[in-house]
Amino acid sequence: AQSVTQLDSHVSVSEGTPVLLRCNYSSSYSPSLFWYVQHPNKGLQLLLKYTSAATLVKGINGFEAEFKKSETSFHLTKPSAHMSDAAEYFCVVSRSGAGSYQLTFGKGTKLSVIP
Amino acid sequence: DTAVSQTPKYLVTQMGNDKSIKCEQNLGHDTMYWYKQDSKKFLKIMFSYNNKELIINETVPNRFSPKSPDKAHLNLHINSLELGDSAVYFCASSQVGREGHNEQFFGPGTRLTVL
């Protein structure tokens, strides 16, 4: 079984300040982990992924995440928030099965950026 | 050059009607998925097809029937629509078996409103 817990349903930051979106996972095997972003009324876009290579993963738009097995965490960070970062962010764990990957989504964290 | 496309983008219909949502991917992937996003933004897998074969079939009413005419298309047909079917439906695709390339690519979503 696998699960994901996003620890904050809503995070609000000022423009230019750091962003931290927290995610803990549970998995019976070595997981693949992802962060997706969903802007209002849009589809989901992949920000970054961890697939057992480097534990510090860099993604698009200046985001990065660190896989910490001992803490079962995969927190998303960005040094300086931009207004365009305001969106819903989903932490996702993937399990491989016969012929497909089953994604389990967290409940999402809404990021607000204050000018 | 859209990777995963869905039609229609919006669908408004009456209770009891039958409707279909179409999905096409031009990424050459062999696996396609349908997800449902509820009003609280929670995303849940509904179905997965690999090379036109059903792989994942989560607990959804049998009023929902996916159809895959070829590996680039996965359509979702819904019979006897109910108010609770109102949601945003996302199609996605991935290539299974490629090391380090297990992310899913999502379509823009179809917002279904049942009146």
Side-chain angles (χ1 to χ4, degrees), chain A residues 5-113:
Chain A
T5 302
Q6 291 184 243
L7 297 165
D8 307 291
S9 59
H10 190 191
V11 170
S12 185
V13 300
S14 297
E15 191 175 17
T17 64
V19 175
L20 170 64
L21 305 184
R22 298 182 294 164
C23 172
N24 287 116
Y25 70 91
S26 171
S27 179
S28 306
Y29 30 78
S30 295
S32 291
L33 292 158
F34 308 87
W35 277 97
Y36 281 85
V37 61
Q38 184 178 26
H39 287 93
N41 299 313
K42 300 286 186 186
L44 290 104
Q45 181 184 20
L46 179 68
L47 271 181
L48 49 80
K49 63 179 179 181
Y50 167 77
T51 54
S52 76
T55 56
L56 182 61
V57 181
K58 293 189 184 301
I60 62 171
N61 301 334
F63 284 94
E64 62 182 39
E66 187 171 7
F67 173 73
K68 292 187 176 180
K69 187 175 181 179
S70 60
E71 298 176 10
T72 60
S73 69
F74 190 57
H75 301 334
L76 181 70
T77 60
K78 182 173 180 177
S80 176
H82 191 273
M83 293 299 295
S84 60
D85 295 328
E88 192 88 23
Y89 291 78
F90 294 95
C91 182
V92 183
V93 62
S94 173
R95 174 170 69 89
S96 296
S100 75
Y101 298 115
Q102 184 153 358
L103 299 188
T104 300
F105 282 77
K107 293 190 175 180
T109 298
K110 183 177 181 178
L111 175 66
S112 298
V113 182

Side-chain angles (χ1 to χ4, degrees), chain B residues 52-83:
Chain B
K52 303 194 294 176
E53 182 181 346
L54 181 64
I55 301 297
I56 296 172
N57 184 1
E58 292 295 303
T59 308
V60 300
N62 58 14
R63 300 181 293 104
F64 289 78
S65 53
K67 287 187 171 52
S68 181
D70 55 61
K71 72 174 192 177
H73 296 84
L74 180 62
N75 303 324
L76 184 64
H77 188 76
I78 315 169
N79 288 329
S80 303
L81 278 155
E82 300 177 357
L83 293 175

Side-chain angles (χ1 to χ4, degrees), chain B residues 14-25:
Chain B
Q14 300 285 336
M15 265 195 330
N17 284 350
D18 303 338
K19 291 292 179 185
S20 292
I21 306 172
K22 296 186 176 182
C23 178
E24 176 181 2
Q25 55 96 3

